[in-house]
Amino acid sequence: MLGLVYGLLGLSMLLVSSVLKLVDLVRGDLAIASAYLAYALTINGNLPIYLIFIPACAIAGVAGICLERFIYRPLGGRPRFTPLVAALGLSLIIQSILQLIFGPELTTYREAEKLRNNITHIGTFYVAEIDILIILVFLLVSITLYVILMYSKFGRAMRAISDDEESAIACGVPKGSTYGLAFFIASVVAGIAGICFGLVYGLEPGVGLLFTVKAFIILMLAGGHGVLGTVLAGMILGISESIMCGLLPANFRDTYIFAILLVILLVRPEGITGRAFQRYK
Amino acid sequence: MLFKGTNRNKFMGFWIHVAVSCGLFSLLALGLNLILRSGVYSIASAAFYMIGAYSTGIGTVRLGLSPIVSILAGTLISAVFGFACIAPAFRVRQDRLLVLTLGFAEALRLVFVNWTSLTNGSMGISGIPPLSIFRIKIYSDSLFFIFLIWMCVIFMLLISSILFHSPWGLRLDGSRENEIVSYILGISPVTNRYLAHTAGAIVSSLAGSLYAHHIGFISPSPFSFVLSVYVLTAVVLGGIGSPQGAIFASIFIGFTQPVLQLIGISSFYATVIRQLIFGLVLIGIILWLPEGFYKKNSGYRRIGELSNGKY
C-alpha cells in the first residue's frame, strides 16, 4: 500500500513541479510535518481517523501558500540552484523542529492499529480496513485532481503555465493566484499523503527525505505529465517494490528504489507514458 | 614525540578534535566546491565521506591491509561511485540530478546499515589503528595529525586556486554558465561534469579515511543527509567558487558544535539546535546574500555578472 501513498505525494509533486518547473525538495517534510501537527492537535491521534484528515489538510494548505509566498516567489528570477538550496535549508529546519517537539522516536496513530487488525472480506479476498481506506482516499484524490485540472478554469490556467509560462502570462493568465492555488491544492494533497504515511508506517522526523525521493521517482516514472500517468506510476512502484522485496533480501528496500530511479533516468527520462519532454525548459 | 600522542589530557584532546574536524570539513567543502563549479548540484558528499571511512575501517580492521592501501582503495571505489551516481547527467536536468545524488546518499547509507556481515550494521566498526606511513605511526591525538590534515587542506586549496585560472577551470565555469555556448565552443559540459564529480568524490573519500583514523570507530549514523547539507552550507556561505571562503565557513561551522556543548547544552539538543541554526542560515544566505560572505575573489563573479547574474 505504500506505493499508493507515494503516489499521493507524487500527485502533489506533479502539481508543484508543473508550475515551478523545479523539484520541490520539501514536499515530503511538509507532508510529515502536517501529519505530526494534526496528530498533536487531535489529542495525540485519539480521534476518529476522518477527523485527523481535516486539520492536516488545513495546516498543509496554509504552509504550502506560505512556502510559495515567502520562499519560492522571492527566488523566482534567480538561478535554478537557489530555490533548491533554500528548500534544503527549510527541510533541515522542519526536521529539527519536529525532533525538538516530538523526539526522534517512531510515532503511531492509535487508530492505525485498529484499522490494520480489522479484516473484512470482499468476495473471496481478505482485506485489512487500512488498505481499503487508502485505496478509497487515493481514488478520491486522483479523480478530484483530474477533474480540477481538466475541467476548471484554474486547471486550464495551470496547464497553460506548465506548457509555456511566458505565452500564458501574455494571454492574461494570472500568474500569482495560479501559483498560489497550485501550491495550496498540492499541499492539501501532501497533507493527506502524510496522514496515510503515518497510518501505514508511522511518523519519524527524518523520514520526509526518503518520502520526497520516492515521490520524485514516481514523477520520473510518470514523465511529469498528467494525473493518470502518476496514478499508474504509483501502482507500478508499489508492486515492483513488493516483488523485489520478495525476491531479494527485504532490508535493502530503499536501495532497490534507488536502482529503479537510476535505471529510469538512464533509459527513459521522459517516463513510461513516452512523450519526450523538452530538455532545457 | 611529535608523532606519539603526548597531549592526552582532556582539554587539549577536545581542541585537537575541534581542529581536526574543522580540517575535515574544509576538505569536504573544497571537494563540493569543485563539483558545484562544474554545475552539478550534488549533495552526496556524506556518501563519499562514508565510503572513504568504511574502506579504511574494513580494510584495516577486517582485511588487515595497511592504511595507505585502504585509503587508495577507498578513493578508487568512490571514484567509481562518483561517476556512476551521476551517470544520467547527459540527459537529465540539473535539479533532477540533485535528487538523484540525494537518493544515492540515502540508499548507500541504508546499505551500510543493513549489510551487517560486512559493516557490522549500526553497531559500527571499532578499533581502527592509527594512521601509519612507512612504519611511522601518527596517533590521532598528536599535533602532527592536525598538521597532516591541514597540509591536505592547503594542498587542495592550492590545487583549487590554480584550477581557478587554468583552462580546465574556465571550461568548468563555461559548462556551468551556458551549456549551449560551451557545446558550440567544442567543450563538452557533460564530460567536465563527470570529471569534476569524480574528483570531488575522491577528495571527500580521502577526508573520510582520515576521519576514520582520527575517531577510531565508525558507524553509519554521522554520515546522514544533514552532513551533506552542512557541507553545502559551508560552500554557499563562503560563496560558490571561492575556495578560501569555503574554508572560512567550514571553520565557522566546525566550531558551532563545541561552542554549543561548552555553554552547557546536552549533546542531542546541541545537534538539533545546530541543525535549526544552519537551516535558518542557509535560507537567510540564499534570500539576502546569494554570493556568500567572502567576495574577494572577483574573477569568478565577473563571469557570473556577464551572463545576467546566473551562477
Side-chain angles (χ1 to χ4, degrees):
Chain A
M1 281 306 112
L2 271 176
L4 292 188
V5 179
Y6 299 146
L8 277 175
L9 198 69
L11 285 173
S12 165
M13 214 165 207
L14 170 77
L15 283 178
V16 168
S17 63
S18 64
V19 290
L20 202 64
K21 295 169 192 75
L22 268 182
V23 182
D24 180 10
L25 292 171
V26 284
R27 276 298 102 187
D29 288 304
L30 187 79
I32 297 296
S34 52
Y36 257 120
L37 288 181
Y39 169 84
L41 279 181
T42 53
I43 327 164
N44 291 353
N46 274 341
L47 294 182
I49 209 69
Y50 46 88
L51 281 181
I52 300 181
F53 276 108
I54 297 166
C57 291
I59 292 166
V62 173
I65 290 178
C66 292
L67 176 70
E68 197 270 333
R69 187 67 193 81
F70 297 116
I71 302 288
Y72 284 124
R73 199 180 289 183
L75 295 176
R78 299 270 190 85
R80 272 201 119 71
F81 185 44
T82 48
L84 295 173
V85 176
L88 286 175
L90 203 60
S91 159
L92 277 195
I93 294 176
I94 292 176
Q95 285 181 18
S96 58
I97 290 178
L98 287 182
Q99 281 201 1
L100 280 180
I101 300 176
F102 297 99
E105 305 88 21
L106 191 78
T107 310
T108 45
Y109 295 109
R110 173 180 283 192
E111 202 77 355
E113 200 61 36
K114 217 189 290 172
L115 281 172
R116 219 171 285 147
N117 293 334
N118 284 0
I119 291 179
T120 51
H121 41 104
I122 306 167
T124 50
F125 295 105
Y126 289 88
V127 192
E129 267 181 12
I130 192 164
D131 296 340
I132 301 174
L133 177 80
I134 282 172
I135 290 171
L136 282 181
V137 167
F138 184 71
L139 285 179
L140 190 70
V141 168
S142 47
I143 290 170
T144 316
L145 274 186
Y146 186 79
V147 170
I148 289 177
L149 278 184
M150 285 300 162
Y151 301 107
S152 77
K153 200 176 172 187
F154 156 73
R156 206 185 303 147
M158 219 201 80
R159 281 183 293 142
I161 282 189
S162 138
D163 271 355
D164 186 342
E165 184 163 340
E166 282 169 14
S167 319
I169 291 166
C171 294
V173 173
K175 183 183 172 187
S177 63
T178 310
Y179 266 62
L181 202 52
F183 264 84
F184 176 74
I185 295 176
S187 305
V188 167
V189 175
I192 296 174
I195 295 284
C196 290
F197 191 80
L199 285 176
V200 176
Y201 179 82
L203 297 170
E204 264 177 308
V207 90
L209 189 71
L210 273 176
F211 203 15
T212 311
V213 172
K214 283 170 186 169
F216 172 74
I217 294 173
I218 285 177
L219 197 65
M220 287 295 96
L221 204 58
H225 305 285
V227 173
L228 291 180
T230 312
V231 170
L232 197 65
M235 291 174 180
I236 289 176
L237 187 77
I239 292 168
S240 56
E241 193 179 355
S242 316
I243 290 175
M244 281 177 140
C245 287
L247 293 178
L248 299 160
N251 282 341
F252 297 102
R253 161 184 292 237
D254 296 311
T255 316
Y256 307 143
I257 297 264
F258 173 74
I260 294 174
L261 174 62
L262 195 64
V263 170
I264 295 165
L265 287 182
L266 267 176
V267 181
R268 253 195 115 70
E270 67 269 23
I272 42 168
T273 46
R275 208 165 13 139
F277 65 92
Q278 231 178 315
R279 208 172 145 205
Y280 296 107
K281 220 171 183 178
Chain B
M1 277 303 272
L2 209 54
F3 303 105
K4 291 188 178 170
T6 50
N7 310 294
R8 300 229 177 244
N9 71 61
K10 213 172 175 185
F11 180 75
M12 274 305 279
F14 180 74
W15 287 109
I16 285 177
H17 175 68
V18 173
V20 168
S21 42
C22 288
L24 292 173
F25 220 98
S26 309
L27 272 181
L28 284 177
L30 287 174
L32 186 67
N33 200 357
L34 190 65
I35 295 174
L36 287 182
R37 205 173 160 201
S38 72
V40 180
Y41 306 149
S42 162
I43 41 171
S45 311
F48 302 114
Y49 195 50
M50 179 162 67
I51 290 178
Y54 266 94
S55 63
T56 289
I58 293 169
T60 52
V61 175
R62 291 277 163 89
L63 306 176
L65 298 174
S66 79
I68 295 288
V69 176
S70 312
I71 290 176
L72 290 179
T75 53
L76 201 65
I77 295 168
S78 56
V80 171
F81 275 104
F83 174 74
C85 96
I86 63 153
F90 64 97
R91 62 195 310 177
V92 173
R93 245 169 39 192
Q94 284 152 329
D95 55 324
R96 299 182 174 179
L97 217 53
L98 187 145
V99 187
L100 189 66
T101 55
L102 184 69
F104 168 74
E106 278 301 300
L108 195 76
R109 198 173 67 83
L110 290 170
V111 166
F112 278 92
V113 170
N114 288 316
W115 195 349
T116 40
S117 60
L118 183 72
T119 64
N120 205 11
S122 45
M123 302 293 287
I125 298 174
S126 55
I128 297 167
L131 181 62
S132 63
I133 305 170
F134 305 122
R135 295 194 199 158
I136 303 169
K137 284 196 175 179
I138 302 166
Y139 286 96
S140 64
D141 53 352
S142 66
L143 288 175
F144 191 72
F145 195 76
I146 301 181
F147 177 69
L148 184 76
I149 282 182
W150 280 96
M151 279 312 284
C152 288
V153 173
I154 290 168
F155 182 64
M156 267 305 295
L157 177 65
L158 276 180
I159 290 183
S160 304
S161 312
I162 293 169
L163 267 182
F164 195 88
H165 297 292
S166 75
W168 191 55
L170 290 178
R171 269 182 239 137
L172 285 187
D173 286 340
S175 56
R176 179 195 67 245
E177 291 294 326
N178 199 326
E179 291 189 336
I180 296 163
V181 171
S182 38
Y183 270 124
I184 292 169
L185 293 174
I187 299 161
S188 163
V190 174
T191 314
N192 284 316
R193 280 177 192 160
Y194 285 145
L195 280 175
H197 199 264
T198 311
I202 288 174
V203 176
S204 308
S205 152
L206 182 67
S209 297
L210 291 173
Y211 168 81
H213 281 300
H214 171 61
I215 300 283
F217 163 76
I218 44 173
S219 72
S221 60
F223 306 103
S224 64
F225 155 76
V226 179
L227 178 69
S228 302
V229 183
Y230 284 164
V231 178
L232 184 72
T233 312
V235 178
V236 172
L237 201 62
I240 299 171
S242 119
Q244 296 96 321
I247 290 178
F248 288 136
S250 316
I251 293 172
F252 172 62
I253 291 179
F255 263 93
T256 47
Q257 178 92 6
V259 165
L260 280 178
Q261 278 182 0
L262 278 183
I263 59 173
I265 299 172
S266 71
S267 181
F268 169 73
Y269 281 107
T271 312
V272 176
I273 288 172
R274 192 181 179 216
Q275 196 175 335
L276 185 62
I277 290 173
F278 283 115
L280 292 171
V281 164
L282 197 51
I283 289 188
I285 285 280
I286 281 297
L287 282 177
W288 295 299
L289 208 67
E291 285 176 347
F293 273 112
Y294 191 84
K295 292 186 183 176
K296 200 178 160 193
N297 225 336
S298 61
Y300 178 89
R301 290 196 305 126
R302 200 167 59 238
I303 304 168
E305 280 155 14
L306 276 180
S307 66
N308 207 6
K310 289 186 177 167
Y311 54 84

